[in-house]
Amino acid sequence: GASLGRAMVSLATRGAPAHLARARSGATATTSSLTRASSHDGARPHAAWSLHRARARPSSPPVVARSSTTDSTSAIKGDRVTLPPPGDVHLWIMDPTDATDPALCRDYRARCLPASERDALESEAGNMTEGALRQATHSKALMRWVLARYCGGGVAPADLRFAHGEHGKPRLVGVGGGASSSSSNPSASSSSSDDDDWMRIRFSVSHTNRLVVLAVTSAPGIEPSHPRLKPRGAPTPSASPGWGANVPANAPHEVGVDCEDERRRTSAAADKLAGRWLSALEHDALRAIGDDAARAMSFMRTWTLKESYVKALGTGIAAHPFGGFDVTLARSDGSKVSGSIPPSGGDEGEPGVIALAERSGTSAAERRAWAATASRWRMALLKPRADDSLLVAVCAHSCATDGGSSEGSNDASTGMNVRVRWTVPMVGDVAEGTRPPPTLIARSEGFGALE
């Protein structure tokens, strides 16, 4: 994600860690672009798109499972889907090559985004490359189109209203008001949906130039506002009753996702990045890998997992430094514990086992509090396509109490079941079985199943 890119720039320019404070943890990998959205004139008036328009991968032609209705409204809103139980995750994946048609991208901006976001991106479009604009459009369209489907048939993507927590993690704060609504009051939660399920939605978004990913889970019930969760400082039009994890108790039922290409090369900077940003345990484990390519791959897997965790917390790297916690892995038989995710993990034999150890805090009491929370998180590292180098890491808060029972709901999952679904906004979901199944590289103890 962009946090790694910022870390590389910071390293190259010898900038201070505060350079990363501008990263907004819970949004997409290019938050500064995606908190603004766009508009281009000339959008097509009818949205009955087909994936035959898109340039699909020859090895895995997309087959869309759609409803029989093909009118413009149904294409924009899509079929309703049910939220996963708390602790489980729906992982929605978009292949950007399925939506390269410029007219479809214009439709995304015109029909999925409210006017304020369209206008904001239009003002920035001149400073963006065509690829960056397309990534921003795809990410926003995926987020809004899918989340609207959880809210009910009366909710259009442009009707969703978001606000950001203290460190940038987004939360859905309203679903009414229509596509032209510009209400900046997140407490105005008037809804055109049949119920209040939207208030339980928790999500995280990430993308690379070859993948866009949205992770969705749910909270057990509607959470009251809490004074400890409000952002610091005076409220701004984009601020809301906040969320994040300055203290360990402030991120229940959250989810974080990050995606990367494990063959992305950071050149000689990989060792320097590990020394500066990772924990001492992880850095030592990386230095023990003699092969340069294997070491770089292991670094990418470690970074992706750690970023999914801080995105779930809602803090980003600046507020919760990577050096303050360890992500370690053991073989499925418990042997050969290492401080990083080796390139062989999950590629041969059983998936590895991920463990999270927290050492954050400035006092003994804070360190004990953080350490006690580590067992409450479930993590998974997977490849959406086994024959590809793309990685997705997901981290979700478990609903299991220390005694092993689930809290808040009889439907809550004590582990983390992950269901992968390929989709193309305003076109439809790719039919199951037409894409290769995902491959699990490593998972936490207590992980459920990958579908």
Side-chain angles (χ1 to χ4, degrees), residues 149-449:
R149 294 170 62 185
Y150 288 105
C151 298
V155 178
D159 290 339
L160 304 184
R161 301 198 304 276
F162 299 92
H164 292 84
E166 183 175 4
H167 300 289
K169 186 173 179 67
R171 176 75 64 85
L172 181 61
V173 295
V175 298
S180 61
S181 174
S182 58
S183 173
S184 60
N185 179 10
S187 64
S189 56
S190 59
S191 171
S192 59
S193 62
D194 296 331
D195 51 47
D196 291 328
D197 268 1
W198 66 267
M199 301 181 73
R200 300 173 51 228
I201 292 174
R202 303 292 181 267
F203 68 95
S204 180
V205 191
S206 182
H207 68 76
T208 70
N209 63 340
R210 295 200 295 125
L211 201 69
V212 187
V213 183
L214 169 69
V216 179
T217 188
S218 66
I222 299 171
E223 298 175 351
S225 60
H226 195 292
R228 291 173 64 188
L229 300 183
K230 292 181 180 179
R232 295 173 182 171
T236 65
S238 61
S240 69
W243 36 87
N246 288 326
V247 294
N250 281 7
H253 317 302
E254 286 291 352
V255 65
V257 71
D258 191 52
C259 61
E260 268 294 355
D261 188 331
E262 67 178 355
R263 290 193 168 86
R264 176 179 176 182
R265 287 295 168 258
T266 54
S267 302
D271 294 333
K272 295 179 180 179
L273 285 166
R276 179 170 182 177
W277 300 108
L278 301 188
S279 71
L281 178 64
E282 294 157 350
H283 186 210
D284 289 344
L286 285 170
R287 287 192 297 183
I289 301 174
D291 181 76
D292 289 345
R295 186 168 61 254
M297 191 180 301
S298 181
F299 171 80
M300 295 306 302
R301 292 184 173 193
T302 303
W303 184 282
T304 305
L305 274 169
K306 290 173 79 81
E307 186 149 347
S308 72
Y309 172 59
V310 297
K311 289 178 74 172
L313 291 177
T315 59
I317 304 173
H320 198 70
F322 277 8
F325 62 95
D326 304 316
V327 174
T328 59
L329 182 138
R331 303 293 183 187
S332 57
D333 60 3
S335 63
K336 297 183 180 179
V337 177
S338 65
S340 64
I341 309 303
S344 59
D347 297 330
E348 298 177 1
E350 293 295 318
V353 179
I354 303 166
L356 170 68
E358 266 288 4
R359 297 176 288 99
S360 302
T362 58
S363 67
E366 287 182 358
R367 286 190 289 272
R368 286 194 299 270
W370 274 107
T373 66
S375 63
R376 304 297 298 277
W377 294 97
R378 302 288 183 265
M379 306 176 84
L381 182 68
L382 60 98
K383 287 186 175 182
R385 290 183 287 248
D387 60 349
D388 204 344
S389 57
L390 291 170
L391 297 172
V392 174
V394 60
C395 177
H397 192 270
S398 172
C399 288
T401 64
D402 294 335
S405 61
S406 59
E407 62 181 30
S409 171
N410 292 332
D411 296 327
S413 174
T414 58
M416 180 176 70
N417 300 298
V418 177
R419 182 180 182 188
V420 175
R421 309 178 73 168
W422 292 83
T423 194
V424 183
M426 288 178 56
V427 177
D429 299 339
V430 177
E432 294 186 10
T434 60
R435 292 277 165 90
T439 298
L440 186 63
I441 299 172
R443 78 283 189 266
S444 299
E445 291 282 4
F447 179 81

